Amino acid sequence: MKRNDLSRREWLASTAACGLAISGGSTLAQELALSAKHDRHVTKGMIFLHHADPRFLEGLRRHGLLVSHGLRLLNTGLEKHQFGEKWAGSIALATAQSSGDLYYIDRICGGMPYQSLEGIESIARELKDDPRFLGFQVHEWGNSPIHDYERIHRLLLDNDESFDREHFAQYEGRVRSPYFSGGDYGTYQKIFEPLKSLNDVDRYLEGFFRKKVEQTYGQVVSVTGYRQLHHTALRLGAKNVMPEIGNQVPLTALQIAFARGAAREYDRPFGVYYEPWGGLPFGCSCALDFSPWFPDTKHLKKVMDGYKIGPEFGSSRSLQRRLLFFAWLSGASYWAEEWGAENYFGNWEDYPLTEYGRIVKDFLAVSSQYTKPKPVVPAAIVMPPKTFGVDISYVAGQSNKLYRIADPDAFHKKLRAFASDLFASQPTQAGGDADNLTPSPWIGCFDVLSAEAPKSLLDEYGLLVYFDREQADKSPASEDRMLVYDGEKQDAQRCIQSVEHLLPYRVKGRVGVAHARTDGRYLLGIFNNLGITKTKAEERADPKATQTAVVHGPPTGAVFLEGKQYTTRTNKNSIEIRLPAGEVAVLSFPAP
């Protein structure tokens, strides 16, 4: 079997632990058992969903980067088209369907000028029973409809023009600003209303997302960054979820905790959607004079209303590397890049790897040796009843409003304090990325569950954190496994003590940590998330930001997958590591 012909067993094996239902009513575990006699292959590492450009895939092949991979089919960009005309009879889509790989269509709305979805229903009917089709990406639906709401006011209502089909039409089908990104007039006609309270926002966003789910027969992969809507997306019928992680959005580990918790609750895998945007100087890494987002732009100098594009812009490669390892150890089944084909190679002729490409290659050299890790998550945050979503910009202290509109509710206020105590959240630092993966040893220790999570799932955690006493009193869990967080420091200390008691290996230090198991081994990722500043000229690592991390637990049989050179001391009970700014250490122990 060719390496890029991902077998059914590989896909089943990568998601069997989640019990995802396959069409026909059988679970992945059942399907896996049925297919075992036909195929002995098991998925290694994370699946990369690569941009389906033949030139790009050829470059990946030459460098041995097509290990476990799938396909990302780009729907939109700065181009005008109709969905059905683009994808009905599409060779790219037919190739993806027959490839045996996972694939999805990125994106049907959000983040780019909205284009007509006429014809999507027939494509969705064709794809809805394909277990390898992850869905049509609905991008940033916690942001995009809010931005469009503001545009309706700025472009129409504030200029004494009516919000009606005639006035809206002047902005439809545009590929240059101003444009709407979430939908057309038909999208907003019935759901548009004044947004003043959190209930108003919840109702507006639910109406928006329901329409996308209905249009696609549920074939939606929900992607959100600042707004944590994964539980709601799956409740409303989405097929899969991916948090958008990267320099722009703070508290990456909490983002993943929401997505992973929702995926567990609804028996799904989850992936991550990586944005190389952000940083100071703000912009996006792009090594080539090419981008599939801008098909008519030969020279990427000034596009997207002044955003800067080039190798000197965007987030740090240090952050890219740390996010790769953290997502892998956190149990992400797949990884997709908002920008990918632009970044890996210096040209299309002999495909020299850029630093971006080398980081991915180095990561694959480690991760592809192991079956997909199962994260060790001892605790779960249980949201209050009827929580629609969480605005992580408020939780991180970057905003004092929810969705830039509403006053925070009690849960958001307490969660902000909890994140400060347990995740070491902090405001964005000029030139830094320390607010993404934060310097707390407990960032990998939590999932987030809804109030409707079944007892069978609650029983899998050693600690359940509630934010409401009455809700905790009604919980089916035993009292000794519950903690009510009221925002007090003693609540945080009790939570830390409980979590540490549940872990076989404990890490002390101002570092981020992720725990996982795979192939009979216990994996421990340690991340120094401090001290990296990206400039146009270079990426600077502050030597004063070096952190000492002490791993408490028996070191017998320990193997370093990354960072062995940073070890300073080993004794019978601990390992000490001096980790420079932005660096990663990954240790493997015999499973306790």
Side-chain angles (χ1 to χ4, degrees), residues 119-131:
I120 194 171
E121 291 86 353
S122 61
I123 305 294
R125 279 196 300 270
E126 178 186 346
L127 300 177
K128 69 183 182 68
D129 293 325
D130 187 347

Side-chain angles (χ1 to χ4, degrees), residues 24 36 97 156 158 161 188 192 221 277 284 354 368 415 511 543 548 587:
Q97 288 177 275
L156 299 177
D158 293 350
E161 292 186 355
Y188 297 113
F192 182 81
V221 54
W277 284 97
C284 188
T354 62
S368 61
L415 189 59
V511 292
T548 298
L587 294 83

Side-chain angles (χ1 to χ4, degrees), residues 101-417:
D101 299 331
L102 293 183
Y103 65 102
Y104 78 106
I105 293 181
D106 175 357
R107 60 192 76 175
I108 61 172
C109 63
M112 280 284 178
Y114 179 83
Q115 300 301 329
S116 169
L117 293 182
E118 186 175 342
I120 194 171
E121 291 86 353
S122 61
I123 305 294
R125 279 196 300 270
E126 178 186 346
L127 300 177
K128 69 183 182 68
D129 293 325
D130 187 347
R132 293 190 183 91
F133 179 58
L134 296 174
F136 305 97
Q137 186 194 140
V138 174
H139 182 73
E140 286 286 21
W141 63 276
N143 272 347
S144 183
I146 299 296
H147 284 303
D148 282 354
Y149 172 84
E150 294 168 345
R151 291 178 183 119
I152 288 170
H153 278 273
R154 185 175 67 252
L155 299 175
L156 299 177
L157 302 183
D158 293 350
N159 296 322
D160 295 323
E161 292 186 355
S162 300
F163 172 57
D164 56 25
R165 190 177 299 277
E166 177 186 354
H167 289 93
F168 199 102
Q170 62 187 304
Y171 301 105
E172 293 184 326
R174 294 176 60 95
V175 294
R176 291 284 183 261
S177 183
Y179 56 76
F180 291 89
S181 66
D184 53 15
Y185 178 73
T187 302
Y188 297 113
Q189 179 183 14
K190 293 183 179 180
I191 65 172
F192 182 81
E193 61 173 300
L195 303 181
K196 297 181 179 180
S197 70
L198 187 56
N199 285 337
D200 295 339
V201 174
D202 292 349
R203 187 167 53 248
Y204 174 70
L205 293 177
E206 179 165 342
F208 175 89
F209 195 74
R210 279 189 183 277
K211 188 172 182 65
K212 301 303 181 189
V213 171
E214 291 168 0
Q215 279 184 296
T216 63
Y217 299 93
Q219 303 304 292
V220 163
V221 54
S222 164
V223 172
T224 57
Y226 281 104
R227 278 79 201 196
Q228 306 308 298
L229 300 167
H230 309 296
H231 296 80
T232 293
L234 293 173
R235 174 176 62 81
L236 295 177
K239 192 173 185 179
N240 289 293
V241 294
M242 283 194 277
E244 180 173 351
I245 65 174
N247 189 281
Q248 293 189 86
V249 184
L251 294 175
T252 302
L254 190 55
Q255 284 183 275
I256 288 179
F258 273 93
R260 184 173 57 207
R264 291 192 68 182
E265 194 169 328
Y266 285 85
D267 291 330
R268 307 290 168 87
F270 78 96
V272 293
Y273 190 71
Y274 171 58
E275 51 171 29
W277 284 97
L280 289 176
F282 183 83
C284 188
S285 174
C286 187
L288 287 166
D289 195 13
F290 155 86
S291 172
W293 295 106
F294 311 108
D296 298 323
T297 304
K298 293 183 179 180
H299 300 282
L300 296 173
K301 300 297 182 184
K302 293 183 179 179
V303 294
M304 290 185 69
D305 304 323
Y307 289 148
K308 301 298 191 299
I309 296 175
E312 69 272 31
F313 298 106
S315 62
S316 69
R317 301 285 65 79
S318 163
L319 179 62
Q320 174 198 354
R321 183 167 175 264
R322 283 179 278 127
L323 290 176
L324 277 166
F325 276 102
F326 189 83
W328 175 60
L329 293 171
S330 296
S333 292
Y334 40 86
W335 168 287
E337 293 153 308
E338 188 171 32
W339 290 65
E342 305 90 338
N343 298 334
Y344 279 75
F345 312 115
N347 61 53
W348 290 125
E349 286 73 49
D350 53 0
Y351 296 104
L353 275 179
T354 62
E355 184 181 6
Y356 185 106
R358 288 193 296 273
I359 285 171
V360 174
K361 186 167 186 174
D362 291 345
F363 166 75
L364 286 172
V366 174
S367 61
S368 61
Q369 299 176 51
Y370 295 90
T371 305
K372 177 180 167 295
K374 182 178 181 180
V376 175
V377 186
I381 295 166
V382 185
M383 294 186 289
K386 299 182 180 179
T387 301
F388 185 85
V390 169
D391 187 341
I392 214 164
S393 61
Y394 174 85
V395 174
Q398 293 186 353
S399 170
N400 287 321
K401 290 285 188 179
L402 304 182
Y403 304 91
R404 298 193 304 276
I405 292 171
D407 292 329
D409 58 4
F411 175 50
H412 272 85
K413 291 176 182 178
K414 290 184 180 180
L415 189 59
R416 177 189 271 194

Side-chain angles (χ1 to χ4, degrees), residues 548-566:
T548 298
V550 180
V551 180
H552 293 278
T556 305
V559 175
F560 273 85
L561 309 184
E562 286 279 304
K564 183 178 181 180
Q565 67 271 34
Y566 305 127

